[in-house]
């Protein structure tokens, strides 16, 4: 039970093993100190951190709705109140811009582009354990951030394609992406190498890539990044279950731009091609099991990156969703 936070329902939730996904928390009208201001809200987060940690662990996703969070700066205060350490965005593919403090834009690619399901930065060895999203401007239409529980995806794909999952567990995956020098906002994987590795020096980029377990091959006006073999299935120790922790569907169906052919972007760890029919069936499974709720201004979504994958639907502007990554 919580003094400040009341569990509420929205039409788009799903029930898994008796637990709502996502879990939705709103201000408790019976609270002695209702979070009517940002400072009271951030204080309540600090006071009730144990409760919030436990519901996130239970559900995998928590939507905070109806709280006084209006700007990027407010959102930064909320993220800070949780006390998780920031994770620098090194090695990620999305074109993003810093906004304030620990806050950045989400993928800045054009609104007509869908972004397929993925665990954040699953294609590198250092990835966030938690993600925050904030709706600063509601989409004109569409633009949801669908979420899906990773262990369910693993179970369903294994049920339908046991041999494929066995191969994935044995060989892992190899990711290959060609990136330019500067960001290309027309591509949702258009982050240039200077932004990817937060440097203008090739030698520093190589060092940072090596720290991620990534190899670089310099081309005339770009660089080929090779990551892996890296596991496609991980074991979530805190929940004692296997999870579908990869960017396979995202890479195979979405890593396409002037420099990249998505079919070559991801293979089995031994270099053998992946079976297209099973990839597309995995896309169906992700869609079937997912939840997509319409964003409302002020929404804060906290995702456990070990528990859930996320995506982005296409939208009609305006839309401004901000994000913060945590270790």
């Amino acid at each position: 039970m919580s003094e400040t936070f009341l569990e509420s329902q929205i039409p788009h939730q799903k029930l898994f093993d008796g637990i709502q996904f996502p879990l939705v928390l709103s201000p408790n009208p019976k609270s002695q100190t209702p979070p009517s201001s940002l400072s009271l809200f951030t204080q309540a987060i600090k006071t009730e951190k144990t409760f919030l940690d436990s519901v996130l662990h239970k559900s995998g996703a928590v939507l905070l709705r109806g709280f006084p969070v209006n700007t990027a700066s407010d959102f930064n205060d909320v993220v800070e109140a949780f006390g998780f350490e920031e994770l620098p965005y090194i090695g990620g593919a999305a074109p993003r811009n810093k906004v304030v403090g620990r806050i950045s834009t989400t993928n800045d690619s054009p609104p007509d582009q869908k972004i397929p399901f993925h665990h954040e930065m699953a294609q590198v060895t250092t990835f966030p354990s938690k993600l925050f999203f904030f709706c600063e401007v509601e989409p004109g239409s569409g633009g949801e951030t669908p979420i899906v529980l990773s262990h369910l995806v693993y179970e369903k794909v294994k049920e339908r394609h046991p041999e494929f999952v066995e191969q994935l567990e044995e060989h892992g995956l190899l990711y290959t992406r060609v990136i330019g020098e500067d960001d290309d906002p027309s591509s949702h994987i258009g982050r240039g190498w200077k932004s990817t590795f937060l440097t203008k020096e090739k030698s520093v980029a190589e060092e940072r890539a090596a720290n991620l377990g990534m190899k670089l091959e310099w081309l005339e006006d770009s660089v080929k990044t090779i990551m892996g073999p890296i596991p496609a299935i991980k074991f979530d120790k805190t929940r004692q279950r296997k999870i579908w922790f990869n960017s396979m569907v995202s890479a195979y169906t979405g890593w396409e731009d002037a420099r990249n052919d998505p079919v070559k972007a991801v293979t089995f760890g031994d270099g053998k091609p992946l079976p297209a029919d099973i990839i597309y069936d995995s896309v169906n499974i992700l869609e079937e099991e997912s939840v997509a709720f319409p964003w409302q201004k002020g929404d804060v979504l906290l995702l456990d990156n070990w528990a859930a994958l996320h995506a982005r639907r296409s939208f009609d502007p305006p839309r401004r969703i901000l994000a913060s990554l945590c270790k």
Side-chain angles (χ1 to χ4, degrees):
M1 286 297 289
S2 163
E3 154 70 13
T4 309
F5 301 100
L6 182 70
E7 193 176 328
S8 53
Q9 263 71 49
I10 57 172
H12 307 81
Q13 284 166 302
K14 287 187 180 176
L15 204 62
F16 297 111
D17 299 327
I19 299 159
Q20 293 284 4
F21 179 77
L23 196 99
V24 181
L25 297 176
S26 299
N28 184 352
K30 294 178 181 169
S31 170
Q32 299 294 312
T33 52
S36 51
S37 68
L38 180 67
S39 59
L40 286 171
F41 179 38
T42 54
Q43 189 52 54
I45 290 168
K46 292 172 188 171
T47 308
E48 304 216 31
K49 180 74 166 36
T50 306
F51 166 75
L52 293 166
D53 284 346
S54 72
V55 292
L56 177 64
H57 188 264
K58 189 169 72 168
S59 177
V62 175
L63 175 63
L64 297 162
R65 175 167 280 180
F67 294 95
V69 190
N70 296 302
T71 65
S73 179
D74 292 353
F75 176 44
N76 191 64
D77 289 353
V78 169
V79 173
E80 290 281 359
F82 274 88
F84 303 127
E85 203 179 332
E86 183 179 11
L87 182 88
Y89 191 58
I90 297 176
R96 292 183 165 165
N97 287 295
K98 271 279 185 198
V99 178
V100 61
R102 300 169 56 158
I103 309 307
S104 65
T105 56
T106 47
N107 196 310
D108 286 331
S109 60
D112 60 340
Q113 291 189 13
K114 281 183 180 177
I115 297 171
F117 278 104
H118 59 286
H119 280 280
E120 191 66 28
M121 297 170 73
Q123 74 279 10
V124 290
T125 49
T126 304
F127 51 84
S129 70
K130 294 173 187 71
L131 321 171
F132 286 88
F133 294 101
F134 165 61
C135 178
E136 188 178 35
V137 179
E138 280 179 33
S141 69
E144 298 93 341
T145 301
I147 52 177
V148 62
L149 285 165
S150 193
H151 72 288
L152 288 182
V153 178
Y154 170 76
E155 286 164 14
K156 298 276 181 186
V157 179
K158 190 176 182 185
E159 207 174 277
R160 289 195 208 172
H161 308 288
E163 286 176 14
F164 171 67
V165 171
E166 204 174 291
Q167 281 182 288
L168 274 184
E169 297 206 51
E170 185 182 340
H171 298 293
L173 291 167
L174 196 63
Y175 299 95
T176 305
R177 191 163 55 91
V178 178
I179 55 180
E181 188 171 319
D182 299 309
D183 290 3
D184 173 8
S186 71
S187 163
H188 76 87
I189 56 162
R191 195 170 178 85
W193 68 258
K194 289 178 177 176
S195 298
T196 300
F197 301 110
L198 305 180
T199 182
K200 292 178 180 174
E201 304 296 328
K202 288 185 177 180
S203 58
V204 176
E206 284 172 3
E207 192 182 314
R208 289 184 177 162
N211 289 341
L212 294 170
M214 188 186 284
K215 290 191 280 293
L216 300 185
E217 290 178 8
W218 296 98
L219 308 170
E220 195 176 326
D221 62 346
S222 56
V223 61
K224 183 192 273 191
T225 66
I226 302 155
M227 185 70 212
I230 190 169
I233 311 297
K234 286 189 186 288
F235 185 70
D236 179 355
K237 289 179 187 164
T238 66
R239 296 178 181 87
Q240 292 291 299
R241 63 196 188 194
K242 285 187 175 179
I243 52 173
W244 184 255
F245 199 92
N246 58 68
S247 296
M248 180 185 78
V249 159
S250 186
Y252 196 92
T253 66
W255 284 13
E256 182 170 16
D257 61 14
R259 292 185 169 92
N260 291 279
D261 171 0
V263 173
K264 294 175 184 164
V266 60
T267 63
F268 281 117
D270 58 3
K272 292 197 175 111
L274 296 167
D277 57 333
I278 297 179
I279 303 270
Y280 284 100
D281 195 36
S282 302
V283 173
N284 295 335
I285 290 168
L286 285 155
E287 287 292 345
E288 285 161 18
E289 298 298 329
S290 70
V291 172
F293 60 87
W295 282 111
Q296 290 184 12
K297 179 171 169 53
D299 281 352
V300 174
L301 177 66
L302 174 51
L303 270 194
D304 186 326
N305 198 35
W306 279 90
L309 301 93
H310 64 282
R312 184 191 82 183
R313 290 190 177 163
S314 56
F315 62 93
D316 291 325
R319 176 190 189 265
R320 188 162 155 100
I321 306 297
L322 303 178
S324 186
L325 311 182
C326 306
K327 284 187 181 174

